[in-house]
């Protein structure tokens, strides 16, 4: 077989999920540059007669239509944050653990590779599956491929349960925290710094904003059996006019991560309560998502994968499914702490474990429609 050429990628879905991860990662697909990889995914699935394929921009949807009583959506994004001398990928061993190193390995092309392999091989799973691979996840929501797909084809989101392949160390992480960003402003009066007493220094007023943040005690909130930790932090501050001018305005940029028990409106109200008398401007708001683990499909998934479900502290697109009435969890190979890092890497064993967990869940037992499942392709050894 000829060597893989990232400039003209041909994805081989008969390869192991580890090799497929390396192939996908070596195709550079920083947000806005996903077309080459999207084309390769469509070409790789062209002969999968059991799948109905849709494409919206660089978002690809592939779904089975077996008449099962239940449907699962399984999604992953194909874009990455910008490179920093971390492609092409390479294999390395650290403290006896084998890794695949490089941009996108953890966030989240290993998860995408597992999904693609299973999409090709599972011709008769016990539930119908809607596979989604989407663009522009790492940038603003208005560019996100799922945002666009939800507007153009909301019917494709119909499901009883959803899984997002975000890195979770191949363990289930339920729901996600909400995310709010606010600009807190204080005002004063400009004056010459040589005669500061005739002005009103706005930057000095920022001290009470910073005191509130420094003294804030983040809540730990139990939601449906999982404990979410909140966070409220200054992530930026700006103010000042010139070296000899008393400033008339200061802005503290605040980020609030709130538990999914709290709505976005309640989160906004909380920010206003914390900073009375200041100009509070909400510049970004994303609702959280409850764990979604009470759904029967989720319970069977947890049993198949094993381990103990954990909360997702960061925001992910599970919230998008949750808002559409579909309970959703995060499940994918990779350590979230290595996402976006210059030394981004994924454990080889986690890729293998993720594939095994999904395969076991999607093929175990009788189909929901009572018809016997057809044999599925055996996994290629990793």
């Amino acid at each position: 077989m000829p060597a893989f050429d990232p400039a003209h990628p041909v994805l081989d879905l008969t390869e192991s999920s580890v090799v497929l991860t390396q192939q996908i990662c070596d195709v550079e697909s920083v947000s806005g540059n996903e077309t080459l990889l999207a084309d390769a995914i469509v070409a790789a699935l062209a002969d999968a007669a059991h799948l109905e394929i849709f494409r919206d921009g660089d978002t690809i949807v592939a779904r089975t239509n077996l008449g099962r009583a239940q449907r699962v959506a399984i999604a992953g994004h194909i874009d990455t944050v910008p490179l920093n001398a971390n492609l092409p990928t390479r294999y390395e061993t650290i403290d006896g653990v084998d890794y695949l190193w490089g941009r996108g390995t953890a966030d989240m092309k290993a998860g995408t590779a597992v999904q693609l392999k299973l999409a090709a091989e599972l011709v008769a799973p016990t539930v119908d599956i809607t596979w989604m691979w989407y663009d522009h996840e790492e940038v603003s929501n208005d560019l996100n491929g799922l945002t666009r797909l939800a507007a153009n084809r909301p019917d494709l989101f119909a499901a009883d349960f959803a899984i997002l392949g975000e890195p979770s160390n191949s363990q289930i992480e339920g729901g996600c925290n909400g995310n709010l960003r606010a600009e807190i402003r204080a005002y004063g009066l400009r004056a010459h710094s040589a005669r500061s007493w005739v002005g009103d220094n706005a930057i000095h007023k920022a001290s009470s904003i910073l005191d509130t943040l420094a003294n804030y005690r983040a809540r730990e909130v139990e939601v449906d059996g999982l404990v979410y930790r909140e966070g409220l932090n200054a992530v930026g501050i700006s103010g000042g006019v010139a070296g000899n001018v008393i400033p008339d305005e200061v802005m503290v940029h605040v980020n609030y991560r709130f538990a999914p028990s709290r709505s976005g409106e309640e989160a906004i109200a909380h920010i206003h309560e914390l900073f009375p008398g200041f100009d509070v401007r909400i510049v970004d708001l994303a609702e959280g998502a409850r764990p979604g683990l009470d759904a029967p499909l989720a319970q069977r998934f947890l049993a198949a994968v094993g381990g103990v479900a954990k909360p997702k502290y960061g925001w992910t697109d599970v919230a998008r499914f949750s808002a559409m009435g579909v309970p959703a969890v995060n499940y994918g190979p990779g350590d979230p702490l290595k996402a976006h890092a210059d030394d981004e890497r994924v454990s080889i064993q986690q890729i293998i474990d993720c594939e095994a967990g999904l395969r076991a869940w999607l093929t175990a037992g009788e189909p929901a429609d009572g018809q016997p499942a057809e044999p599925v392709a055996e996994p290629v050894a990793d």
Side-chain angles (χ1 to χ4, degrees):
M1 180 178 177
F4 182 77
D5 181 3
H8 302 90
V10 177
L11 304 178
D12 185 353
L13 302 188
T14 68
E15 288 281 8
S16 72
S17 53
V18 174
V19 171
L20 188 56
T21 297
Q22 184 173 34
Q23 290 181 351
I24 294 172
C25 289
D26 282 340
V27 182
E28 183 269 297
S29 59
V30 174
S31 303
N33 195 33
E34 299 97 327
T35 300
L36 187 63
L37 180 54
D39 289 345
I41 290 172
V42 171
L45 294 172
D47 294 330
H50 63 291
L51 295 174
E52 184 181 14
I53 309 294
F54 304 88
R55 182 166 181 172
D56 185 276
D58 288 330
T59 290
I60 299 101
V61 177
R63 66 180 184 180
T64 64
N65 290 292
L66 302 171
R68 305 297 195 227
Q70 292 181 303
R71 178 174 291 276
V72 173
I74 302 179
H77 63 83
I78 63 173
D79 63 321
T80 72
V81 296
L83 309 184
N84 190 16
N86 45 14
L87 279 186
T89 56
R90 65 172 185 259
Y91 292 96
E92 61 182 23
T93 301
I94 302 175
D95 297 329
V97 178
D98 295 326
Y99 294 95
L100 178 64
W101 174 98
R103 176 62 77 224
T105 51
D107 190 13
M108 55 159 287
K109 289 184 174 181
T112 298
V114 167
Q115 293 170 8
L116 280 168
K117 183 169 180 61
L118 293 176
E121 292 185 354
L122 301 186
V123 297
T126 53
V127 292
D128 271 312
I129 308 174
T130 301
W131 305 94
M132 296 178 170
W133 302 289
Y134 61 103
D135 59 291
H136 285 87
E137 189 272 347
E138 299 289 5
V139 288
S140 61
N141 179 64
D142 61 315
L143 295 174
N144 187 298
L146 289 186
T147 299
R148 186 180 64 250
L149 188 66
N152 295 338
R153 291 295 306 273
D155 58 298
L156 294 178
F157 287 80
D160 299 287
F161 182 57
I163 297 170
L164 190 68
E166 287 286 355
S168 64
N169 291 305
S170 290
Q171 300 177 27
I172 295 174
E173 292 184 342
C176 67
N177 274 334
N179 184 30
L180 178 152
R181 289 188 300 110
E183 295 177 350
I184 316 296
R185 284 178 167 79
Y187 300 100
L189 179 66
R190 291 192 192 188
H192 197 296
S193 61
R195 301 173 182 81
S196 60
W197 58 88
V198 301
D200 184 13
N201 196 314
I203 289 180
H204 292 177
K205 296 179 181 181
S207 62
S208 63
I209 299 174
L210 298 177
D211 284 344
T212 296
L213 293 167
N215 295 322
Y216 187 80
R217 293 296 174 260
R219 301 189 309 160
E220 292 188 359
V221 185
E222 183 174 334
V223 183
D224 299 339
L226 300 184
V227 178
Y228 293 82
R229 182 178 175 84
E230 297 189 329
L232 181 73
N233 293 280
V235 293
I237 187 167
S238 61
V241 181
N244 59 353
V245 178
I246 298 301
D248 62 341
E249 182 177 339
V250 65
M251 186 273 285
V252 180
H253 195 164
V254 172
N255 182 222
Y256 178 36
R257 301 290 178 142
F258 55 95
S261 58
R262 180 169 268 172
S263 70
E265 288 301 316
E266 289 171 334
I268 292 172
H270 185 54
I271 295 298
H272 281 281
E273 289 170 0
L274 290 171
F275 302 104
F278 291 99
D279 179 2
V280 176
R281 304 181 189 180
I282 307 300
V283 295
D284 189 36
L285 176 65
E287 299 276 356
R290 300 184 75 89
L293 293 171
D294 52 349
L297 278 173
Q299 290 295 309
R300 292 201 293 273
F301 182 42
L302 186 59
V305 171
V308 178
K310 299 178 180 180
K312 187 71 170 180
Y313 295 132
W315 187 93
T316 75
D317 278 310
V318 297
R320 191 182 308 278
F321 288 98
S322 180
M324 300 177 79
V326 181
V329 299
N330 304 275
Y331 178 70
D335 184 345
L337 297 180
K338 287 300 178 184
H340 303 184
D342 288 342
D343 63 343
E344 184 175 355
R345 59 181 181 262
V346 63
S347 158
I348 299 301
Q349 189 60 51
Q350 285 187 12
I351 300 174
I352 297 169
D353 291 345
C354 180
E355 179 186 339
L358 282 173
R359 187 185 294 274
W361 175 60
L362 293 169
T363 60
E366 291 295 309
D369 61 359
Q371 298 300 314
E374 300 170 20
V376 298
E378 289 296 320
V380 177
D382 288 306

